[in-house]
Amino acid sequence: MDPKPRVVPEGGRLEYLQALVTEFQETASQEAKEQVLANLANFAYDPNNYQYLRELQVLDLFLDVLSEDSDTLVEFAIGGLCNLCLDKVNKVYILQMGGVKPIINCLSSCNEETVMSAVTTLMFLSTSQSIQELTALPVVECMLRFSLSANKRLSNLATIFLEDYCSPDQVEEARNLSAHTAVGIPLPKD
């Protein structure tokens, strides 16, 4: 579902974003939740909104939604986190809140966009302190499997992850250990 563009009144950006967060929290409609979360993820693309989104605890909202059963909500939440983690303050916050584990869990999604956003987000979250968690053996095994995907977007992204974020020894260890099986982590549907 493509979100309908919303017009933000001049000078009312914070109030508008607050209204979106409130609508997400109060609505019982799944479709409305999806629409609102898609809009919040789109607003997360603009660095002018980062401070407002932090004030409104949208990073927490996105992290919480990663554990939802709705593939669509998870897709929009990981997309929003992917947009937000380019900012250093947001990156540090996501790492401090234990965001890596639920993001890694998104690698097992059958939704291609969710997986692509999860891989990209892991790349963006890379720091000297987080690299060990980001390149844990199960993640490297998963990236090896993704690198063999017929889906070129996924294959290329996984190859970049392996080449730019993993040591040759990590890749070799994962290759020898799993022989590309990555048990329990299915490839996303095309």
Side-chain angles (χ1 to χ4, degrees):
M1 163 190 355
D2 288 333
K4 296 174 191 152
R6 298 190 185 219
V7 177
V8 180
E10 276 307 309
R13 191 178 297 239
L14 177 60
E15 293 79 11
Y16 182 74
L17 292 170
Q18 175 65 67
L20 286 176
V21 171
T22 301
E23 183 179 351
F24 182 85
Q25 293 168 335
E26 293 180 354
T27 187
S29 165
Q30 184 70 15
E31 187 175 334
K33 281 186 180 291
E34 291 170 0
Q35 182 75 40
V36 169
L37 206 63
N39 277 290
L40 286 170
N42 286 336
F43 279 107
Y45 185 73
D46 183 351
N48 293 320
N49 294 325
Y50 289 169
Q51 181 60 39
Y52 299 131
L53 294 170
R54 283 193 291 269
E55 286 177 38
L56 297 170
Q57 300 177 328
V58 172
L59 284 90
D60 294 308
L61 176 68
F62 286 153
L63 287 168
D64 290 345
V65 170
L66 293 182
S67 62
E68 293 281 330
D69 291 332
S70 166
D71 290 341
T72 303
L73 288 177
V74 172
E75 175 186 345
F76 294 143
I78 190 66
L81 287 169
C82 188
N83 289 337
L84 288 168
C85 70
L86 290 170
D87 176 75
K88 288 181 182 181
V89 174
N90 293 337
K91 176 192 288 196
V92 167
Y93 185 81
I94 292 166
L95 292 170
Q96 287 177 341
M97 296 307 295
V100 172
K101 185 176 181 349
I103 292 167
I104 288 172
N105 289 341
C106 290
L107 296 174
S108 64
S109 174
C110 292
N111 180 316
E112 176 186 337
E113 292 306 316
T114 297
V115 173
M116 297 289 291
S117 291
V119 173
T120 304
T121 303
L122 291 174
M123 290 180 189
F124 291 160
L125 289 174
S126 178
T127 67
S128 58
Q129 293 81 28
S130 67
I131 193 68
Q132 189 172 354
E133 183 178 13
L134 299 175
T135 60
L137 191 57
V139 176
V140 179
E141 288 178 286
C142 181
M143 294 302 166
L144 279 170
R145 182 168 175 187
F146 289 165
S147 74
L148 302 173
S149 172
N151 177 324
K152 278 314 225 185
R153 289 175 60 217
L154 180 59
S155 172
N156 290 342
L157 195 58
T159 299
I160 291 168
F161 185 94
L162 292 167
E163 291 175 356
D164 291 357
Y165 298 90
C166 303
S167 71
D169 289 342
Q170 287 176 304
V171 174
E172 190 59 32
E173 181 184 1
R175 202 173 261 133
N176 290 337
L177 189 67
S178 70
H180 306 299
T181 57
V183 177
I185 302 178
L187 289 172
K189 295 176 184 166
D190 291 332

